Amino acid sequence: MWRLTLRSTLARRARLALTVVAVVLGVAFVTGSLVLTDTSTRLLDDQFRTATAGTDLTVRDAVAFDSAMGVEVARDPLPETTVRRVAALPGVSAARPLVRGEGLLEVAGRPVVPRGASVLASWEPAPVGAFPVRTGRAPAAADEVVVDEDTARAHGVRLGDTVTVRAVETARLRVVGLAGFGDRSGLPDSTVALVDLATAQRLLRLGTGVSEVAVVAAPDVAAGDLRQRIGQALGAEVEVATSQDIAAAGAKAARAQLDMIRVMLLALAAAALLVGAFLIGNTFSIVVTQRARELALLRAAGATGGQVLRSILGEALLVGVAAAGLGAVLGVGAAAAMRRLAGAFGVPLPDGGLVVTPRTLLVAAVVGVLVTVLAAAGPARRAARVAPVAALRRATAAGTGRTRTGLGLLATVTGGAAAGLVATGAPVTLLAVAATGALLGLALLGPALAPPLVRLLGRPLRLAGTPGRLAVEAAARTPARTAATALALALGLALISYLAVLGTSVKNSIRDSYAEVVTADLVVESARGEMLGGLAPEVHERIAGLPEVAVTSRIRYGHWRDGEQVSALTAVDPATLPRVAALRMTAGSLDALRGGGVVLAEHVARQRGLRVGDDLPMTFSHTGTRRLPVVGLLRDSDARALATDHIIALDTFATLYRERADASVLVRLAPDTDPAVARRAVTAALADTPTADVRDQAAAVAGRTGMVDQVLGLVTALLMLAVLIALLGITNTLALSITERTAELGLLRAVGASRRQVGWTIRWEAVLVAALATTVGVTLGAGFAAATVAVLDRDAPTALALPAGRLAAVVAVALTAGLLAGLLPARRAARMDVLRAIATP
């Protein structure tokens, strides 16, 4: 039977070709996602391991937690005496002071603003230092600097050139060397400026303080023993960590920013495989129907139902193995392409050699084979039930079945009820039940719904004459096939529509709440959009001193631990904020923040059962757990405008955090001041602060919604792969259907239909299937987006917004793609030999 299976598969390789392509694309997506995330993780691990490779221990200021939301917390500098005390301890071979901070480079008068960090650090030789000088020499004087090779290459920096380094202080320095980072040419998407210790302390205004102390243990001393010894000598004010711990913590903080990308890629890969599974199942269903007589003859010749079942599953296994192998190979190239695509949408990923693990190859093989075999299981079971007497009859299309329709109605009603419950306040987890019910219901009800929907959507095609009418009838005559083909495309379009509606709703809500609350004339923010700010305090001081400015109000952000979770908070000036923002308190007052309390968004207070006067325990990295009194409740939409649900005063922030960078400066212009003149004055005052961006309200809103656009753009681009797989399904279905419609098409030609008319009949059928998929997909996506918006509206006002233009573009692209998907089958049908077609049984 296995020989028969192999021969049968090879004999029908043309019919299965597009199925193989669909599985290949799905497996390539899965493989590429795993390769990309494994590569990013490995590169980050290597980066931080390299940075600490020559150090056994690191001594630094103690904090309650290292990082939050992918950002490492700021630490206090250590006094110079700490370095001497560590160096004097027995078992210490070397104790080297290190200084590290933020230092922006300017080359030829132009600031170099990377997407990553602008690192300013004191240079140290190996084994402590991680930046070996590749060209030139190390910095030895106060006016010398070494830059990384990547930056030098990208901006034409050569030895002897003069560059400007802007930190707390600014200095013009002469480039005396070019450095690498381990075996690389620099840090990913970052700039590095290395100076001597005294210069680093001066530029960062640390006095004689240092960021940390790198400790090298004596050859005969264990790092664990030395760690305990240093900890006992210095006490709890410092943290003594091994190099492995430092590397792991730094890599973990960096990887936290990749978690969203990892989850997103794997979710999209699952969607692509699900679409491919529909195509596989549909293909095998068609092939089994066309082979009904052959299978019945096998049964008449003595083959059992189990043998037929194993034969069909064997074909699926061969297809899955071949597709998994090709998909795994293509997945490596897909990883590189996805990394470039992510960079194009403003989501940079670490650059370096791709990492392909045995686990990735195993997952690719298992996924490819399992998806193919499971998708073919249904058609295989039907094939096993083919009776020998069927050899005496022509194959007919399967009916819809009352049981199938009943189950479909039950699944649809269940899904709709779950979605309705979510919209009215039920847990958001029910959305998964709703989505599953809707998808299962559509799959089961498809054959019953397809004919009326096809005839309804096909009414405009009657204007196309005979080809249009024939296309409508052909699609309606095989409802199961039409429904299965359309559903695969509908799933991809539903996801795209869901993201379009949800993204537009969120963006509009952010824009509306910001415009309603923030009344400032200008907003000054970091051009790089750092999570915790990026504006030096001097920015506020310079703006506040301008005669064109009446009021300035600073905003800062910070992180705190809430049990095992990390949350963000906003720090404001209660005295000036009301003059640049129209906040609506529902209890308490903003002015009460001066006493060291916290204002909560209404939904947070409701969820926690808190009222004004209650205490909220909050854990901060430097001060540990503090209980802050709740002094006010703020409307949820106003809290959204301030970006967090927890608000404290700037004075309180100063006692809890070491960070001093502002995130925004809200500016109210003086009366009778020309806005254009004032903006030029503010811009001129910040001319030597290139990372400060002066924005009007529209630009400030665009900055807040830009990340939404970037993520949605990236996800939509990746979802197009699922749509491509579904379009292959239309091509494959029509190509396979032509085989069983050979006699019909021959008769059409015999009674006078031209090649052009036959070709357009097939093309219009493809367009009709795409129209059915578009109608179902857009409706489904918009419906689930509405339910999601209702969930978001519980925490902050979020109104449903339908992006008519974008949805119209989705419809136009889908219909055009459907037309293109029908080109090859139409060409084959039009070129069919009339006499041979008529003679086909």
Side-chain angles (χ1 to χ4, degrees), residues 11-80:
R12 294 173 179 82
R13 56 185 178 275
R15 297 187 185 185
L16 298 175
L18 290 179
T19 302
V20 172
V21 172
V23 182
V24 166
L25 292 176
V27 172
F29 203 160
V30 173
T31 305
S33 300
L34 292 174
V35 169
L36 187 58
T37 53
D38 287 346
T39 298
S40 299
T41 299
R42 177 75 61 84
L43 290 173
L44 289 173
D45 287 344
D46 291 346
Q47 171 185 328
F48 286 94
R49 193 179 301 113
T50 298
T52 60
T55 303
D56 294 310
L57 300 172
T58 297
V59 180
R60 53 187 182 175
D61 179 49
V63 292
F65 53 88
D66 291 327
S67 62
M69 297 182 179
V71 178
E72 292 195 53
V73 301
R75 297 172 184 264
D76 284 341
L78 298 175
E80 183 183 16

Side-chain angles (χ1 to χ4, degrees), residues 524-548:
V524 180
E525 296 177 306
S526 171
R528 292 192 290 191
E530 287 97 331
M531 185 177 296
L532 294 182
L535 298 179
E538 290 79 7
V539 170
H540 169 259
E541 296 169 3
R542 293 177 187 176
I543 300 172
L546 295 174
E548 295 86 356

Side-chain angles (χ1 to χ4, degrees), residues 416-428 430-431 786-794:
L421 289 173
V422 170
T424 56
V428 68
L430 279 179
L431 270 181
T788 306
V789 168
V791 173
L792 297 177
D793 191 52
R794 300 174 192 172

